[in-house]
Amino acid sequence: MLPIAIYYEHPDWFRPLLTELARRGVAYVELDAAVHRFDPQDPAPPPYAAVFNRASPSAYLRGRPQVIHYTQAWLRHLERRGVPVINGSATYALEISKADQIGLLQTLGLRAPRTRIINHASQALAAAEDLRYPVLVKANVGGSGAGITRFETARDLEEAVSSGLDLGIDHTALVQECAPLRDGKIHRVELLGRRFLYAIEVYPPGGSFNLCPADACQTSDGRELQRSACALDAPKNGMRVAAFAPPASIVAACEAIAVAAELDVGGIEYLIDDRDGEPYFYDINALSNFVADGPNVIGFDPFARLVDYLQARMDRGR
């Protein structure tokens, strides 16, 4: 029986998944996305029942920038050879382009914060001219809240441009309105098999854009959570989460995004703009880290559901 390959780079995020696979006796192999090779001229399919892509665009923050574009080439190679890929090349293309994510939301007729795309810092002020401040400048290739800077005024942005505004590793960035959050929270909907799995509301710590659910430290009522997907010595950041039941319209919108993005496993984030009370989608996460301590927050273990899904995909592949 061929194993499933878990292709990943972060040393901690996927320990709960690997633990569940081992507990069930599912055959799997670990592939380090940062040190990898393949033969594009070999016509034989690689020896995997399926491949689960867990590569993160934030790999460059850990000194592994080679992961990002290499991964896209390898995923396409697998697909050409007929290997089932969970979160394949189409999904990964969106994962590494926030600009494309905004375009997809527009195509689907879903609200997103007003956004302009630039490829040179000199364009930032002009891009923000008809936007409401504060504005965010977001690196196109981000991950874990990286490459996002908030500017309160046009003068602040002008000073940043003068001193050298960093647009990220592909020199492309979003200039985007920063909406005031209703009740100081954002919402994240997790999907599995392109269907709704659960939703949480997240209370970001002040000034932080890193909303990785696995980093959450407490429930909204102050109970401590077990962070099994974090580094053992990771500092607590004060982020609070709670289970949330989104309206049916939000669930339908998120499932439509997943279908259009070919997103097998992922999280979609949206906010309620306190100025008009409307939902605005702003991030599509193909690298989805489930909420810390799922049984205590949402009432079940999402990694168990994930392994159910992976086993079904392996069986379908065979």
Side-chain angles (χ1 to χ4, degrees):
M1 179 182 299
L2 293 176
I4 186 171
I6 312 299
Y7 175 79
Y8 70 100
E9 165 272 332
H10 194 283
D12 298 299
W13 286 345
F14 309 110
R15 283 186 287 113
L17 168 61
L18 301 181
T19 298
E20 182 65 15
L21 288 168
R23 186 187 71 80
R24 297 194 192 189
V26 177
Y28 73 91
V29 295
E30 301 177 36
L31 301 180
D32 186 344
V35 185
H36 194 263
R37 68 179 186 274
F38 71 94
D39 181 354
Q41 297 170 315
D42 184 352
Y48 312 122
V51 173
F52 188 16
N53 172 32
R54 301 277 73 195
S56 171
S58 66
Y60 72 96
L61 298 174
R62 294 177 289 278
R64 298 172 167 186
Q66 71 273 22
V67 169
I68 297 169
H69 295 295
Y70 173 92
T71 292
Q72 188 69 295
W74 190 57
L75 296 179
R76 288 173 177 156
H77 168 74
L78 292 170
E79 290 163 351
R80 284 192 291 266
R81 298 298 183 271
V83 177
V85 180
I86 295 96
N87 283 3
S89 63
T91 303
Y92 189 69
L94 275 175
E95 175 76 340
I96 60 176
S97 178
K98 293 184 183 297
D100 280 347
Q101 292 181 22
I102 296 295
L104 177 64
L105 293 170
Q106 176 68 19
T107 298
L108 294 174
L110 298 173
R111 292 185 192 89
R114 295 175 66 201
T115 304
R116 308 290 182 264
I117 312 299
I118 62 174
N119 71 351
H120 195 276
S122 66
Q123 300 301 300
L125 277 168
E129 275 184 0
D130 63 340
L131 302 182
R132 292 171 292 184
Y133 280 84
V135 300
L136 302 175
V137 176
K138 293 183 175 182
N140 189 44
V141 181
S144 300
I148 304 177
T149 306
R150 172 174 169 147
F151 298 96
E152 300 295 332
T153 67
R155 174 60 63 88
D156 294 337
L157 181 55
E158 182 179 18
E159 290 176 356
V161 170
S162 298
S163 60
L165 185 63
D166 185 3
L167 302 187
I169 60 174
D170 68 348
H171 306 284
T172 301
L174 287 67
V175 181
Q176 186 176 84
E177 287 189 356
C178 180
L181 304 179
R182 179 152 293 185
D183 299 325
K185 63 187 177 184
I186 62 95
H187 302 85
R188 182 176 174 116
V189 176
E190 298 285 352
L191 300 110
L192 178 61
R194 307 184 189 182
R195 301 297 300 274
F196 176 82
L197 181 63
Y198 68 85
I200 54 175
E201 50 189 21
V202 182
Y203 297 82
S208 173
F209 297 101
N210 183 3
L211 301 179
C212 173
D215 291 340
C217 302
Q218 299 177 344
T219 60
S220 58
D221 59 3
R223 287 179 292 122
E224 293 292 319
L225 297 176
Q226 296 180 8
R227 301 190 300 162
S228 58
C230 292
L232 297 179
D233 59 350
K236 293 185 177 182
N237 58 16
M239 186 161 65
R240 296 178 296 127
V241 300
F244 172 70
S249 59
I250 292 292
V251 172
C254 289
E255 291 183 345
I257 293 170
V259 170
E262 301 181 31
L263 176 65
D264 298 313
V265 183
I268 296 168
E269 293 176 8
Y270 71 96
L271 58 86
I272 303 298
D273 189 328
D274 199 40
R275 295 169 296 197
D276 60 17
E278 296 291 348
Y280 289 78
F281 296 91
Y282 65 89
D283 202 7
I284 303 169
N285 297 276
L287 183 77
S288 184
N289 295 317
F290 291 138
V291 65
D293 206 350
N296 275 328
V297 177
I298 57 174
F300 63 89
D301 181 1
F303 288 100
R305 304 277 181 93
L306 173 58
V307 173
D308 289 341
Y309 174 74
L310 295 179
Q311 288 185 290
R313 289 292 299 266
M314 292 172 69
D315 292 341
R316 192 187 314 168
R318 284 194 290 270

